[in-house]
């Protein structure tokens, strides 16, 4: 029944129909919930799965969350992002303030119309605590919005939802299952990284600041690899994928380059690599990634590029249209990507800090995953401000809101 409802509500071409209820419930985070919203012009139906064996499926109706509301959110969000990206250096500070104000207002809307009723439903029906983790299958416009910035007033001050619970995201149910299967098959081994650095030659900050910060961490140096500038080509990523398909080697892939999302042709979206011949850069597209050999033992792909976590939002969720899904189906166990254009300085701070947390807890009985590491570094930076204000963090809201952890 759950599979039929999901199939009906989202997209008949989805692979949900071939998944059993036991498989779906096996994807629920411990002590938390798996949330699948299906948005329409009449409101949103939220399908909720928990570990509660006495309930198979919960259905919550959100009449105020219509496709018109999410379209307006997306319009406001994109206007702020575009204005910031297009601003002249002399106008950048003002444009950043305006964008952050827009994000704060949107965060309040995300809470009122989406998260608040879901959390109240989980508390009253399933007795799930206010710190229970959520995994959200992003649907429609929600896939392009930074809904992890949900914000409400608690204990007399503004407080982000991410301060109280881990938020994980997935572009589709099958992608979530694929990440789970990758995790189950993976063998423990020392961390190693293959990094594609500045293929276009113009991202000097990423090459001289972000990569040195990441490289200085506790990697297994003997099996790590740096593919820089003119060597970061299509044949290089194909070679890495072939090696990973034959034997578990690198645990992490990292890309510092430009990204582009093509809303008219999402399968052509991708990240830029070097042509290797002094010619203009070439694009590693969604289709190219899907054609790579399936990689084994790959724990995390970090896409330190613009717009790398976007998928097609013009229709119901499509498992195949977006770089995150493409890398998951190519074998990645998790993804850290971005929803909009990012500053090199913020990418350096966020990426290196997330890796630092992952490596520091790797030997523990319960190491952090990318969503937990992301939550930890965001909360630490929110609390690093003595006034607990949410407009002047160690990294700004506009910086961390860009990043989306996609994981099981």
């Amino acid at each position: 029944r759950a599979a039929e409802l999901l199939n009906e509500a989202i997209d008949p071409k989805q692979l949900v129909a071939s998944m059993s209820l036991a498989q779906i419930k096996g994807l629920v985070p411990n002590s938390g919930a798996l949330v699948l919203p299906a948005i329409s012009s009449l409101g949103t139906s939220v399908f909720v799965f928990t570990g509660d064996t006495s309930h198979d499926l919960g259905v919550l109706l959100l009449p105020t969350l219509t496709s018109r509301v999410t379209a307006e959110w997306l319009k406001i969000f994109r206007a702020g992002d575009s204005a910031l990206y297009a601003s002249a250096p002399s106008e950048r500070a003002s444009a950043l303030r305006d964008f952050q104000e827009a994000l704060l207002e949107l965060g309040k809307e995300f809470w009122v119309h989406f998260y608040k009723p879901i959390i109240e439903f989980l508390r009253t029906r399933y007795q799930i605590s206010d710190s229970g983790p959520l995994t959200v299958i992003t649907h429609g416009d929600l896939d392009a919005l930074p809904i992890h910035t949900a914000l409400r007033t608690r204990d007399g001050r503004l407080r982000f939802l991410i301060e109280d619970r881990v938020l994980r995201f997935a572009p589709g149910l099958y992608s979530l299952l694929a990440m789970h299967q990758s995790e189950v098959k993976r063998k423990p081994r020392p961390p190693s990284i293959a990094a594609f650095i500045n293929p276009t030659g113009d991202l000097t900050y990423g090459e001289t600041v972000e990569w040195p910060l990441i490289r200085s961490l506790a990697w297994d140096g003997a099996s790590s690899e740096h593919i820089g500038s003119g060597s970061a080509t299509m044949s290089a990523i194909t070679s890495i994928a072939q090696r990973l398909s034959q034997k578990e080697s690198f645990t992490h892939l990292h890309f510092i380059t430009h990204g582009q999302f093509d809303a008219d042709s999402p399968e052509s979206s991708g990240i830029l690599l070097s042509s290797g011949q002094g010619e203009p850069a070439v694009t590693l597209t969604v289709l190219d990634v899907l054609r790579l050999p399936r990689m084994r033992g790959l724990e995390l792909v970090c896409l330190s590029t613009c717009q790398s976590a976007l998928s097609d939002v013009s229709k119901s969720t499509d498992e195949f249209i977006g770089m995150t899904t493409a890398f998951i189906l190519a074998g990645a166990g998790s993804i850290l990507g971005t929803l909009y254009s990012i500053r090199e300085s913020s990418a350096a701070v966020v990426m290196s800090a997330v890796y630092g947390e992952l490596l520091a807890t790797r030997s523990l009985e319960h190491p952090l995953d990318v969503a937990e590491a992301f939550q930890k570094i965001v909360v630490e930076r929110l609390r690093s401000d003595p006034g607990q204000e949410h407009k002047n963090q160690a990294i700004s809201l506009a910086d961390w809101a860009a990043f989306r952890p996609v994981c099981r």
Side-chain angles (χ1 to χ4, degrees):
R1 171 166 169 73
E4 287 171 359
L5 284 170
L6 290 166
N7 209 31
E8 236 173 42
I10 300 177
D11 187 341
K13 291 180 289 186
Q14 288 285 346
L15 298 175
V16 174
S18 65
M19 294 177 66
S20 68
L21 179 61
Q23 279 181 306
I24 297 173
K25 288 182 75 69
L27 303 175
V28 175
N30 292 334
S31 305
L34 172 60
V35 175
L36 298 92
I39 304 166
S40 75
S41 59
L42 301 177
T44 295
S45 298
V46 182
F47 301 92
V48 178
F49 294 91
T50 70
D52 187 341
T53 55
S54 62
H55 294 87
D56 284 341
L57 170 70
V59 182
L60 173 65
L61 302 179
L62 305 180
T64 65
L65 187 58
T66 64
S67 53
R68 170 182 269 183
V69 169
T70 60
E72 183 61 25
W73 288 349
L74 193 58
K75 180 180 177 182
I76 294 169
F77 169 66
R78 285 182 170 166
D81 174 35
S82 298
L84 177 60
Y85 183 74
S87 61
S90 60
E91 303 168 339
R92 189 64 50 84
S94 175
L96 178 60
R97 283 195 299 272
D98 290 344
F99 186 41
Q100 294 212 136
E101 288 297 333
L103 288 174
L104 286 170
E105 292 307 311
L106 285 171
K108 295 172 186 175
E109 293 281 302
F110 299 154
W111 169 254
V112 170
H113 295 282
F114 184 59
Y115 284 112
K116 182 181 179 182
I118 291 173
I119 288 170
E120 289 177 347
F121 180 74
L122 291 173
R123 186 190 305 121
T124 55
R125 178 164 179 170
Y126 299 105
Q127 289 74 55
I128 291 179
S129 75
D130 287 347
S131 60
L134 295 180
T135 299
V136 180
I137 303 291
T138 49
H139 175 242
D141 291 338
L142 294 183
D143 192 66
L145 288 162
I147 56 174
H148 55 298
T149 61
L151 180 71
R152 79 283 198 209
T153 300
R154 185 173 180 182
D155 299 329
R157 73 170 182 89
L158 288 176
R159 188 175 178 88
F160 288 105
L161 181 62
I162 198 172
E163 294 182 70
D164 299 314
R165 66 177 72 221
V166 175
L167 300 174
R168 299 180 178 90
F169 299 93
L173 201 55
Y174 186 76
S175 293
L176 198 60
L177 178 62
M179 287 188 285
H180 173 62
Q181 291 172 338
S182 295
E183 179 184 347
V184 169
K185 294 176 183 177
R186 212 162 44 231
K187 298 174 183 176
R189 65 191 195 285
S192 59
I193 186 168
F196 288 74
I197 311 298
N198 192 17
T200 55
D202 60 338
L203 297 174
T204 54
Y205 194 92
E207 188 168 4
T208 60
V209 179
E210 180 178 344
W211 172 238
L213 284 172
I214 294 169
R215 185 180 54 196
S216 67
L217 299 171
W219 302 100
D220 178 11
S223 55
S224 293
E225 194 166 326
H226 165 208
I227 304 102
S229 196
S231 300
T233 61
M234 196 77 77
S235 59
I237 182 62
T238 302
S239 174
I240 293 290
Q242 287 173 339
R243 288 160 60 183
L244 278 165
S245 71
Q246 296 163 6
K247 179 184 177 182
E248 294 188 5
S249 53
F250 303 109
T251 56
H252 296 70
L253 277 184
H254 189 80
F255 294 87
I256 299 176
T257 184
H258 294 287
Q260 54 190 23
F261 178 74
D262 187 339
D264 296 323
S265 180
E267 69 278 6
S268 300
S269 303
I271 57 177
L272 297 186
L273 295 177
S274 171
S275 66
Q277 302 170 343
E279 300 294 328
V282 297
T283 303
L284 177 71
T285 67
V286 168
L287 291 179
D288 291 328
V289 176
L290 288 170
R291 294 187 185 110
L292 291 174
R294 183 169 177 81
M295 295 173 277
R296 297 166 51 195
L298 188 57
E299 297 176 19
L300 173 65
V301 174
C302 281
L303 300 169
S304 189
T305 71
C306 298
Q307 302 178 342
S308 54
L310 289 176
S311 299
D312 182 16
V313 298
S314 64
K315 61 186 74 174
S316 294
T317 305
D318 190 324
E319 292 279 358
F320 300 97
I321 304 182
M323 288 297 281
T324 52
T325 302
F327 270 109
I328 290 166
L329 296 184
S334 57
I335 310 284
L336 183 58
T338 63
L339 297 172
Y340 52 87
S341 302
I342 54 171
R343 297 190 296 175
E344 290 179 283
S345 56
S346 62
V349 170
V350 171
M351 291 293 185
S352 61
V354 166
Y355 278 128
E357 293 299 334
L358 291 173
L359 297 182
T361 63
R362 191 177 179 85
S363 61
L364 301 180
E365 183 179 356
H366 300 292
L368 299 183
D369 64 27
V370 66
E372 292 167 324
F374 180 72
Q375 182 209 31
K376 189 170 188 294
I377 67 121
V378 168
V379 170
E380 284 177 351
R381 281 154 180 78
L382 290 174
R383 291 176 179 167
S384 67
D385 175 23
Q388 290 290 330
E389 295 292 337
H390 286 84
K391 297 180 184 179
N392 300 292
Q393 302 98 329
I395 53 172
S396 71
L397 169 59
D399 288 331
W400 67 261
F403 294 86
R404 170 172 284 173
V406 176
C407 65
R408 153 74 173 83

